[in-house]
Amino acid sequence: MTSFLKPENALKRAEELINVGQKQDALQTLHDLITSKRYRAWQKTLERIMFKYVELCVDMRKGRFAKDGLIQYRIICQQVNVSSLEEVIKHFMHLSTEKAEQARSQAQALEEALDVDDLEADKRPEDLMLSYVSGEKGKDRSDRELVTPWFKFLWETYRTVLEILRNNSKLETLYAMTAHRAFQFCKQYKRTTEFRRLCEIIRNHLANLNKYRDQRDRPDLSAPESLQLYLDTRFEQLKIATELELWQEAFRSVEDIHGLMCLVKKTPKPSLMVVYYAKLTEIFWIGSSHLYHAYAWFRLFLLQKSFNKNLSQKDLQLIASSVVLAALSVPPHDRTHGASHLELEHEKERNLRMSNLIGFNMETKPESREMLSRSSLLAELASKGVMSCVTQEVKDIYNIFEHEFLPSDLAVKVQPLLAKISKLGGKLSTASSVPEVQLSQYVPALEKLATLRLLQQVSNVYQSMKIETLSGMIPFFDFSVVEKISVDAVKQKFLSMKVDHMRNVVIFCKMSLESDGLRDHLANFAEHLNKARQMIYPAEKKPSKIGALLPTLTEVVAKEHKRLLARKSIIEKRKEEQERQLLEMEREEESKRLRVQKMNEEAEKLRVATEFEQRKNERLRQEIEEREKEETKALYEEAEKKFKNYKGKKPLIEGDKITKQTLMELTLNEQLRERQEMEKKLQKLAKTMDYLERAKREEAAPLIHAAYVKRQEEEKILHEHEQQQEIELSRQRHEGDLKEKERLARMIGNKEIYQEKVVSRRQAEFDRLRKETEERISRILQSRKQDRERLRKWKYYLNVEEERQQKLREEEEARKREEAERRRKEEAERLAKLEEIAEKQRQRERELEEKERQRREALLGRGAEPASRPTESLARPLESGSAAPAAAAAAAAPAPGKYVPRFRREKPDGAAAPPETDRWSNSSSRPDGDRWGRGEDRRSAFGSGVGSRSSSTWSSSRNPR
């Protein structure tokens, strides 16, 4: 193993070996470099080395070397630069594909060249014997040797890349792309065996992904991008399997997709589900599972109707017709009738698997599932409105098979409908994922169904029938086929009939020994006899004790019913409360669990990051130390070699105590010494060369002068000769030109006549064009002048109109301002008058209040006198002041429609109410001081003795009025 100080040196060495034809040694050199632990830090040079490495592996078809190198390079750049690994792998696959295509283009017969069952198998013994026995190989064998090895290598390349990229979150896009290319390889070259192996490889990768969940850089299937990549790969696998007609592998691909959905608990996009159900229809039809085929069509119809907004009415009608015909094609009898227990268990398990695949049922309890059957499917079609979307022919044939009873005319009516149905179908324009729909594929199943329905209906009408008559009623099949169909129906207990070939009749057996009618005939007979005896001898009616309880029974039942309803509501409330508490507890536990899980995940991430950083630092430190040791060793070896070749005094080097710094100093000293010696040698050599050059020039000077003189004489002779030749050629050209002039002189007159004609014609044409141009210019000027005049008039009109509008707007605004000013003045005058009236009214009210206060004080001060005096003294002020209050009341009378307090209204005896302030009047119409003063007056009116007088005096002194 050769050790290189730098990776560039290994690359140069490999290129040198390639140039001399030693590719194996070059490959081994690069392989040793890549697998060495010395170069674990990624750098750009390693990427160039890997490009060269994979090119050598492809040229020499060394798949194992390529796998080892790519694994080592993945370790190097996994955490640093994954895109570099991606570029190397893409380059590797591109080279392999290109080589395979070149070999394929060289082969003349591709089908014979690829006629190999297994690309991984060795040569067969008979091929080896044939190659040795026959003296001359055939063309097919030569093509086989040319093309097959490259396709083997290409297949090995795909396997290697998938193995390297598996279960890596950073490379899952490249993994999906490689899987797609491998699928296309199998499809293009019809490689069924390799396709099965490829599906198994991808399946194992997913199983390992679920098995080892603690892997580093493991893809997260819960992420939408990762899930979409895995789903796209599985759906591509399903498409290629159906195109290669590998139906078993296609069914396993469907199970893979369903398992992936169960794993992540998510349903893919409707476009992918359309592909899923479309492929299921093909798989179930090929497997003769008509019931599941019909359910798959039904699911496909629901998807297209719900999510495909561009679905045309014609396409919807065609899909709905396919659904109904697929449902009708299901045999009407139960195939599990009379089967053994083991067969029933297998059939039940199969039904559960199929129902899961069709409905994506995630439940695990079989009791909660709805089993699939023909009757439930037809009922669901009717409830979902599928029958309203089908064609009229399909509706008619559905009614004939399921609802009508036509024992003699059934085949006659069905046959033309089947002929029309067989012509329907085609490619759907708005459902690209759905395959081409051909309703003719259901015609054989419908003919078999028509035969069974006809036999069933005939068995209800006839007891026996001739075979010729029955054959005439069934035009679809020969009687031998009808007999096979009837045998199967009888086996499944759908029909009860016998065929007597001796008498050439068919016997329909309605009653067998096992039939229900004969099994229960004695019990029925006893029941009828008991009814007849009771009619002849009726039983005597005894008085019932219940009759006495009937009047109160209704009330008791109602009470009991109410009690039960109340108890039921209480129980329901308790259940709801208990469920709510359980839900809250579960929610709290779930939140606690999520918090703990989040904390654990964060701690784990922190720990992993810390460990990763520590490992990284340790690794870098070790690499630096190792690199320094290697550099020291290399410098030591280089110094030993130099000192070994050095003839002078060698420096003292102690191997055990040597260091890198010491070696570098020794190396620098040695380089300085060598440079000084080289400068001395160069000076000596320059002096020697100077002497030699001077001697050469002294010897060469006379020789150069002699050669120069000789060259001058030769050039003078050559110049004179060339000058004579040029004079002779000029004389000959002059004579020829004179002859040409004499020949052309005769045509001068004709030339002048022609020239005059041309000039006159062109002058006339010029005058005409100039006149037309002047006229056109004058017209253009006139039109432009008119346009300017029109534009000037229009602008003048617009300006005048704008001035008029502006004047009107100004007049309108002035009028509005005058009107607003006038209204403002009127409003101010009105408010001033109202304020004056209100002020007068407040003055009167204050006078009245003052009088009333004085009167009350007088009454309170004279409380000890006889009762007659207060009355008289009270009457006098009232009489004397009766005119003033009346006048004040008249003056203070409110306007019509204004609110009047109760104490101001007239009493029944005509006496005026005591005056009081208007509490409901607008507070803004009187000052705050007046309002507060009157409040104090009202409070003082209810006081007593000196306190009341003092408070009233204080309030009046505060009143600003």
Side-chain angles (χ1 to χ4, degrees):
M1 175 179 177
T2 307
S3 177
F4 296 96
L5 187 61
K6 294 182 180 180
E8 293 88 346
N9 300 337
L11 182 59
K12 292 178 181 178
R13 177 62 177 167
E15 290 176 351
E16 291 173 359
L17 291 172
I18 292 171
N19 292 331
V20 297
Q22 298 180 6
K23 291 186 177 182
Q24 182 64 39
D25 296 338
L27 179 62
Q28 188 63 43
T29 301
L30 295 179
H31 181 74
D32 294 342
L33 177 73
I34 293 167
T35 56
S36 174
K37 294 183 179 180
R38 182 177 180 179
Y39 308 101
R40 290 300 187 189
W42 183 87
Q43 46 186 322
K44 189 66 176 178
T45 308
L46 287 178
E47 183 176 346
R48 297 200 304 270
I49 290 173
M50 282 303 301
F51 279 129
K52 181 61 68 176
Y53 181 76
V54 296
E55 288 175 4
L56 287 174
C57 290
V58 172
D59 289 339
M60 302 175 67
R61 293 203 295 268
K62 298 290 184 180
R64 190 168 298 278
F65 273 83
K67 184 175 182 180
D68 294 342
L70 288 173
I71 290 174
Q72 294 297 326
Y73 192 64
R74 181 187 65 182
I75 296 172
I76 293 172
C77 61
Q78 173 73 30
Q79 304 298 330
V80 181
N81 191 359
V82 183
S83 59
S84 176
L85 176 61
E86 187 174 350
E87 293 298 327
V88 171
I89 289 176
K90 286 182 179 179
H91 185 61
F92 179 43
M93 289 194 296
H94 173 70
L95 291 177
S96 302
T97 308
E98 187 177 1
K99 288 290 185 181
E101 289 296 329
Q102 289 177 2
R104 177 175 173 270
S105 62
Q106 294 175 6
Q108 297 297 326
L110 180 61
E111 295 296 331
E112 291 82 358
L114 294 180
D115 189 13
V116 181
D117 293 334
D118 190 356
L119 288 178
E120 296 183 3
D122 295 332
K123 289 186 177 180
R124 293 178 296 179
E126 55 267 29
D127 294 335
L128 293 173
M129 291 178 63
L130 185 62
S131 64
Y132 285 114
V133 172
S134 60
E136 184 180 0
K137 293 185 179 181
K139 185 177 183 303
D140 55 347
R141 291 196 298 277
S142 63
D143 290 341
R144 188 191 306 274
E145 291 183 357
L146 178 64
V147 178
T148 305
W150 280 112
F151 278 89
K152 283 185 178 181
F153 181 75
L154 180 58
W155 166 245
E156 188 177 356
T157 300
Y158 287 134
R159 289 194 59 175
T160 300
V161 173
L162 289 175
E163 187 67 24
I164 292 172
L165 301 178
R166 66 185 178 92
N167 300 342
N168 196 322
S169 60
K170 297 180 181 179
L171 300 169
E172 55 187 0
T173 305
L174 184 59
Y175 178 84
M177 184 197 74
T178 307
H180 282 252
R181 292 181 65 175
F183 287 142
Q184 294 300 323
F185 166 77
C186 297
K187 173 188 172 183
Q188 185 177 0
Y189 302 112
K190 304 294 188 296
R191 307 310 308 171
T192 56
T193 306
E194 284 72 26
F195 180 75
R196 292 191 187 95
R197 288 178 179 167
L198 179 61
C199 295
E200 193 63 32
I201 289 170
I202 296 176
R203 200 171 290 118
N204 291 334
H205 289 174
L206 182 60
N208 292 332
L209 176 64
N210 297 325
K211 184 177 180 182
Y212 306 106
R213 295 182 178 271
D214 55 347
Q215 282 183 340
R216 189 177 182 180
D217 298 326
R218 174 183 174 272
D220 185 11
L221 292 180
S222 60
E225 296 81 6
S226 301
L227 177 61
Q228 190 63 36
L229 287 174
Y230 275 84
L231 281 176
D232 291 341
T233 303
R234 294 317 186 272
F235 275 100
E236 184 68 20
Q237 174 183 333
L238 176 60
K239 291 179 183 178
I240 301 301
T242 53
E243 291 177 5
L244 293 177
E245 297 182 356
L246 299 175
W247 303 111
Q248 186 176 1
E249 197 61 42
F251 184 74
R252 294 186 69 185
S253 302
V254 169
E255 288 184 329
D256 292 342
I257 295 172
H258 179 255
L260 194 60
M261 293 300 101
C262 293
L263 185 64
V264 299
K265 305 294 184 184
K266 287 183 181 179
T267 304
K269 295 185 293 186
S271 59
L272 294 179
M273 293 302 299
V274 168
V275 178
Y276 177 84
Y277 285 119
K279 297 304 178 183
L280 267 183
T281 57
E282 298 182 32
I283 294 170
F284 286 142
W285 183 256
I286 295 297
S288 299
S289 300
H290 296 127
L291 179 61
Y292 309 128
H293 170 77
Y295 267 100
W297 261 117
F298 181 51
R299 294 282 180 165
L300 182 60
F301 169 78
L302 294 180
L303 272 176
Q304 289 288 343
K305 188 177 180 182
S306 301
F307 297 101
N308 194 349
K309 304 302 181 183
N310 300 324
L311 191 66
S312 63
Q313 186 64 30
K314 182 180 179 182
D315 294 343
L316 181 65
Q317 193 177 39
L318 197 57
I319 296 175
S321 302
S322 300
V323 175
V324 176
L325 292 180
L328 291 176
S329 300
V330 179
H333 47 75
D334 188 8
R335 292 185 177 274
T336 60
H337 191 82
S340 63
H341 178 71
L342 184 60
E343 292 176 351
L344 289 175
E345 289 296 326
H346 287 317
E347 186 66 23
K348 186 177 181 181
E349 183 181 357
R350 184 169 179 267
N351 286 337
L352 292 179
R353 286 178 63 194
M354 299 303 173
S355 62
N356 277 338
L357 293 179
I358 294 172
F360 280 96
N361 195 348
M362 301 298 179
E363 299 177 7
T364 56
K365 296 182 179 179
E367 293 78 13
S368 61
R369 302 173 190 261
E370 181 184 358
M371 299 307 293
L372 308 180
S373 64
R374 184 177 187 271
S375 58
S376 62
L377 176 60
L378 291 175
E380 197 168 1
L381 293 182
S383 63
K384 296 292 185 180
V386 180
M387 299 303 301
S388 61
C389 302
V390 301
T391 58
Q392 187 61 38
E393 293 83 1
V394 177
K395 284 184 183 178
D396 295 342
I397 203 168
Y398 171 77
N399 292 326
I400 291 172
F401 283 151
E402 300 299 325
H403 300 296
E404 296 184 4
F405 185 78
L406 302 169
S408 58
D409 300 336
L410 190 143
V412 176
K413 291 189 176 183
V414 166
Q415 196 169 11
L417 294 176
L418 291 179
K420 293 180 180 178
I421 288 173
S422 62
K423 297 178 182 178
L424 298 177
K427 183 69 177 177
L428 301 183
S429 59
T430 57
S432 59
S433 300
V434 181
E436 185 177 1
V437 178
Q438 292 295 340
L439 302 184
S440 58
Q441 64 178 348
Y442 301 109
V443 171
L446 293 176
E447 291 177 348
K448 185 176 179 181
L449 177 64
T451 303
L452 287 173
R453 289 297 184 196
L454 190 142
L455 291 174
Q456 185 185 27
Q457 294 177 9
V458 168
S459 66
N460 293 331
V461 178
Y462 298 97
Q463 290 184 352
S464 62
M465 180 179 290
K466 288 187 174 295
I467 292 177
E468 293 82 1
T469 306
L470 186 60
S471 299
M473 294 173 66
I474 304 175
F476 310 117
F477 308 110
D478 295 335
F479 186 72
S480 59
V481 180
V482 174
E483 191 173 3
K484 290 180 182 179
I485 295 173
S486 60
V487 167
D488 192 16
V490 171
K491 181 180 178 182
Q492 304 299 332
K493 304 298 181 181
F494 183 72
L495 292 175
S496 179
M497 59 178 290
K498 298 179 182 178
V499 180
D500 191 349
H501 288 282
M502 294 182 65
R503 294 190 296 169
N504 201 17
V505 295
V506 177
I507 301 170
F508 300 102
C509 306
K510 291 184 180 179
M511 294 292 183
S512 63
L513 294 176
E514 299 293 332
S515 63
D516 296 336
L518 291 179
R519 188 186 302 121
D520 301 332
H521 70 287
L522 291 177
N524 294 333
F525 182 64
E527 186 178 353
H528 290 308
L529 283 178
N530 192 17
K531 288 181 180 179
R533 186 184 64 77
Q534 290 180 359
M535 292 175 63
I536 296 172
Y537 303 105
E540 296 180 0
K541 295 183 179 179
K542 296 180 181 180
S544 177
K545 296 179 180 181
I546 302 175
L549 302 175
L550 287 177
T552 61
L553 186 60
T554 306
E555 297 178 359
V556 173
V557 170
K559 291 180 180 179
E560 187 68 20
H561 182 64
K562 291 180 180 178
R563 187 181 66 81
L564 291 175
L565 289 177
R567 184 171 179 272
K568 183 179 179 182
S569 63
I570 293 171
I571 292 171
E572 291 294 332
K573 290 180 180 178
R574 289 178 180 174
K575 285 183 179 179
E576 291 176 358
E577 182 66 21
Q578 188 177 4
E579 290 177 357
R580 185 182 62 78
Q581 292 177 358
L582 289 174
L583 287 174
E584 289 180 356
M585 292 174 61
E586 290 178 358
R587 195 177 296 112
E588 290 178 358
E589 292 176 358
E590 182 67 19
S591 62
K592 289 180 181 178
R593 187 184 64 80
L594 290 176
R595 285 197 298 270
V596 172
Q597 182 180 358
K598 187 176 180 181
M599 292 172 62
N600 294 334
E601 289 178 355
E602 291 177 354
E604 182 66 20
K605 287 181 180 178
L606 183 61
R607 185 186 64 80
V608 170
T610 306
E611 291 180 356
F612 174 72
E613 191 67 25
Q614 292 176 357
R615 287 196 301 269
K616 183 179 178 182
N617 295 333
E618 184 66 23
R619 180 173 55 82
L620 291 174
R621 186 181 60 79
Q622 291 178 359
E623 288 178 357
I624 291 170
E625 291 178 356
E626 185 179 353
R627 191 179 300 113
E628 287 181 355
K629 289 180 181 179
E630 292 176 354
E631 290 176 357
T632 304
K633 185 178 178 182
L635 288 172
Y636 180 76
E637 292 175 355
E638 187 176 356
E640 284 289 335
K641 291 179 182 178
K642 289 183 178 180
F643 298 149
K644 194 178 293 182
N645 298 328
Y646 181 56
K647 297 179 181 180
K649 184 180 179 181
K650 296 183 180 179
L652 181 62
I653 298 178
E654 296 179 1
D656 296 334
K657 300 180 181 179
I658 195 70
T659 60
K660 184 179 178 181
Q661 187 67 25
T662 307
L663 287 172
M664 291 178 67
E665 290 177 358
L666 291 174
T667 305
L668 288 174
N669 294 332
E670 182 65 19
Q671 289 178 357
L672 182 60
R673 183 187 57 78
E674 290 179 355
R675 191 179 300 113
Q676 291 174 357
E677 292 181 356
M678 184 61 65
E679 288 177 357
K680 292 178 181 179
K681 290 180 181 179
L682 288 176
Q683 289 177 1
K684 185 177 180 180
L685 182 62
K687 192 174 181 180
T688 305
M689 291 297 295
D690 190 12
Y691 290 153
L692 289 175
E693 186 66 23
R694 187 181 296 113
K696 283 193 297 184
R697 290 188 180 184
E698 287 177 357
E699 292 293 331
L703 298 176
I704 292 172
H705 181 71
Y708 172 71
V709 172
K710 184 178 179 181
R711 181 67 178 272
Q712 274 187 339
E713 293 177 354
E714 291 176 354
E715 289 182 352
K716 182 178 180 181
I717 295 170
L718 180 62
H719 174 69
E720 292 176 354
H721 178 69
E722 289 179 352
Q723 192 172 7
Q724 289 295 329
Q725 288 181 351
E726 184 65 25
I727 292 170
E728 186 66 25
L729 289 174
S730 298
R731 187 182 294 111
Q732 292 177 1
R733 282 197 297 271
H734 180 68
E735 292 176 356
D737 292 342
L738 289 176
K739 291 180 181 180
E740 185 69 18
K741 181 180 178 182
E742 291 177 359
R743 187 177 66 82
L744 295 175
R746 294 176 296 174
M747 295 183 286
I748 291 177
N750 296 330
K751 187 263 294 183
E752 292 178 353
I753 294 171
Y754 179 74
Q755 182 178 357
E756 290 177 358
K757 289 181 180 180
V758 171
V759 169
S760 61
R761 186 171 67 251
R762 290 184 179 179
Q763 183 67 30
E765 182 70 18
F766 172 74
D767 295 340
R768 183 181 63 80
L769 291 175
R770 185 175 63 183
K771 185 178 180 181
E772 292 177 356
T773 304
E774 290 176 354
E775 292 177 354
R776 186 173 69 254
I777 291 172
S778 63
R779 287 196 301 272
I780 292 172
L781 293 175
Q782 186 68 22
S783 63
R784 290 181 180 177
K785 184 177 180 182
Q786 293 176 359
D787 292 341
R788 285 195 300 272
E789 186 69 23
R790 191 181 302 110
L791 181 61
R792 189 166 54 252
K793 290 181 180 180
W794 177 248
K795 287 182 179 179
Y796 175 74
Y797 170 74
L798 290 177
N799 293 332
V800 170
E801 183 66 20
E802 186 177 358
E803 291 176 357
R804 187 180 66 82
Q805 294 291 338
Q806 183 67 21
K807 187 176 181 181
L808 290 176
R809 283 195 296 270
E810 291 176 355
E811 292 176 356
E812 181 67 21
E813 289 177 358
R815 185 182 62 79
K816 287 181 179 180
R817 284 195 298 272
E818 292 176 358
E819 183 69 21
E821 185 67 23
R822 184 181 60 80
R823 289 180 180 177
R824 186 178 60 78
K825 290 180 179 180
E826 291 178 356
E827 184 66 21
E829 293 174 358
R830 188 178 65 82
L831 291 175
K833 289 180 181 180
L834 290 175
E835 183 64 26
E836 184 179 357
I837 293 171
E839 181 65 27
K840 290 180 180 179
Q841 184 176 353
R842 285 193 293 272
Q843 184 68 24
R844 291 191 191 98
E845 288 177 356
R846 283 194 295 272
E847 292 175 358
L848 290 173
E849 288 177 358
E850 183 67 23
K851 290 179 181 181
E852 179 66 20
R853 185 179 59 78
Q854 293 175 1
R855 185 181 65 80
R856 288 179 181 176
E857 288 178 355
L859 288 174
L860 292 172
R862 298 172 187 175
E865 296 180 3
S868 59
R869 292 192 60 185
T871 306
E872 292 174 1
S873 63
L874 180 64
R876 282 195 300 270
L878 290 174
E879 289 174 0
S880 63
S882 60
K898 185 177 179 181
Y899 173 77
V900 179
R902 183 183 298 172
F903 63 84
R904 291 183 183 277
R905 300 174 188 162
E906 291 292 332
K907 290 186 177 181
D909 56 351
E916 192 174 337
T917 58
D918 186 7
R919 291 178 296 172
W920 307 103
S921 61
N922 191 2
S923 61
S924 62
S925 62
R926 58 174 177 262
D928 293 340
D930 182 57
R931 181 168 68 250
W932 284 98
R934 285 197 301 276
E936 293 293 336
D937 293 342
R938 284 194 298 271
R939 284 194 298 272
S940 63
F942 296 96
S944 61
V946 179
S948 64
R949 282 194 295 272
S950 63
S951 66
S952 63
T953 306
W954 177 74
S955 64
S956 61
S957 66
R958 284 184 62 195
N959 195 346
R961 298 291 181 182

